[in-house]
């Protein structure tokens, strides 16, 4: 029983660290996939010359 009491805190902290790192890596992977999709869409628009909706305003114009 003494061994469990001694090792349990280290095991719990190790599991918490593992879950935290796993969630960080999953978030990073998702962000990289989203960035790749956005970049591919931007490259496709640049190739086709699609500039988006023609509403008569420039992208930076604020009214």
């Amino acid at each position: 029983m003494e061994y469990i009491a001694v090792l349990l805190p280290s095991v719990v902290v190790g599991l918490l660290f593992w879950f935290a790192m796993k969630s960080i890596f999953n978030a990073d992977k998702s962000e990289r996939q989203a960035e790749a999709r956005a970049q591919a869409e931007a490259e496709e628009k640049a190739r086709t010359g699609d500039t988006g909706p023609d509403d008569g305003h420039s992208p930076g114009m604020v009214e």
Side-chain angles (χ1 to χ4, degrees):
M1 188 64 181
E2 291 177 20
Y3 295 114
I4 293 174
V6 169
L7 294 175
L8 189 61
S10 296
V11 169
V12 170
V13 169
L15 286 172
L16 286 173
F17 178 77
W18 182 75
F19 281 119
M21 293 305 293
K22 183 179 174 185
S23 68
I24 289 170
F25 285 131
N26 283 340
D28 181 59
K29 183 172 110 177
S30 298
E31 184 177 350
R32 287 176 187 261
Q33 289 173 344
E35 179 67 28
R37 280 193 306 269
Q39 189 172 10
E41 288 175 6
E43 289 174 359
E44 181 65 28
K45 281 185 180 182
R47 267 197 304 266
T48 61
D50 184 15
T51 59
D54 186 20
D55 59 0
H57 295 282
S58 64
M61 190 172 187
V62 178
E63 288 188 50

